[in-house]
Amino acid sequence: RKYEPAMPIADSIVRLDQEAEIAKTLRGDKPVLIRGNWRIGKTSMLASLATHQFGRENSLIIDVSGEGGEGESLEDFQRRFGAYRIAQFIAKRELPDAEFKDRSQKENEVAKQIEDSQKPPFEFLNDYLIDKGEKIFLSFDEVVVFAEQQEKLKHIADLKGLGNIQLAVVLHRIASSEKLFEKTFDGYETHFIRPLALEEVGVLVRKPLEGTRLTF
């Protein structure tokens, strides 16, 4: 019962060497592609990077798996999947212990500031971070949903130019789109999630049994 089936692990005890390598790349201001086949642990890598390396309060993980509306304009897409989440993130960052009502009010204020600025949402976030003298870990999960929507895919890839955002993008292996991905994400450093070592499998089996009468 220590592991929730089919859910990402936010405090991984394996692949910690690869996690450290990815974090080192990000801290060197180089954007990262986290790649691999389905179910290998890409989302767990994002969540554990936030937990172990950057801090949950300094991390914004966006799952775009439900954001693939083909009839939507890029502007509407930016507003819906960017501005809303950024407003939430900034409100939580500035009012970490606030009541729901106060934080909701702050979210509305930030959303209006983003709209009034007429900047793309993530450019607004980057300028906000520059003013604060801070950087954050920003990651996008399930970006493969935009394999047939090149404008949105390029929009995400181009966020690499924002200097106060340490950017990681999860991108599944998909044979028919590999050439497009290579062109779109030029300048990214690719990290393929490696298979678990036999010793790591042992750790995963034994760790939850600590303190019990079971041995393996």
Side-chain angles (χ1 to χ4, degrees), residues 26-32 60 62 78 81-82 86 119-130 134-140 154-168 188:
L26 290 166
R27 291 192 177 105
D29 294 325
K30 191 171 183 67
V32 164
L60 177 56
I62 298 177
Q78 288 175 311
F81 103 120
I86 290 169
K119 297 176 182 177
F122 289 100
E123 185 178 321
F124 176 93
L125 174 61
N126 192 64
D127 289 346
Y128 165 86
L129 294 168
I130 290 171
E134 299 170 347
K135 291 187 177 184
I136 67 158
F137 170 53
L138 172 66
S139 59
F140 293 88
K154 186 176 185 303
H155 170 67
I156 291 174
D158 286 349
L159 297 179
K160 69 180 181 182
L162 300 176
N164 283 52
I165 288 174
Q166 295 163 316
L167 179 63
Y188 281 67

Side-chain angles (χ1 to χ4, degrees), residues 12-62:
S12 180
I13 57 176
V14 295
R15 297 189 181 109
L16 299 181
D17 57 335
Q18 187 169 38
E19 180 188 290
E21 289 173 10
I22 294 171
K24 183 178 179 180
T25 302
L26 290 166
R27 291 192 177 105
D29 294 325
K30 191 171 183 67
V32 164
L33 281 184
I34 296 177
R35 306 215 60 198
N37 295 319
W38 271 257
R39 313 305 307 164
I40 199 170
K42 298 181 297 301
T43 302
S44 290
M45 181 61 76
L46 289 185
S48 291
L49 279 164
T51 300
H52 299 153
Q53 300 288 340
F54 299 102
R56 305 298 297 185
E57 71 281 1
N58 296 315
S59 303
L60 177 56
I61 299 176
I62 298 177

Side-chain angles (χ1 to χ4, degrees), residues 132-175:
K132 297 283 186 181
E134 299 170 347
K135 291 187 177 184
I136 67 158
F137 170 53
L138 172 66
S139 59
F140 293 88
D141 200 3
E142 303 288 348
V143 170
V144 72
V145 298
F146 300 132
E148 304 297 326
Q149 301 176 60
Q150 295 185 29
E151 187 179 32
K152 294 174 185 176
L153 198 69
K154 186 176 185 303
H155 170 67
I156 291 174
D158 286 349
L159 297 179
K160 69 180 181 182
L162 300 176
N164 283 52
I165 288 174
Q166 295 163 316
L167 179 63
V169 176
V170 163
L171 193 60
H172 293 75
R173 300 287 298 272
I174 176 167

Side-chain angles (χ1 to χ4, degrees), residues 3 12 23 25 58-59 65 70 73 103 108 115 146 156 168 189 203 215-216:
Y3 298 117
S12 180
T25 302
N58 296 315
S59 303
S65 59
E70 293 190 27
S73 70
R103 187 173 301 165
N108 291 335
E115 184 177 359
F146 300 132
I156 291 174
E189 183 170 305
V203 169
T215 59
F216 194 98

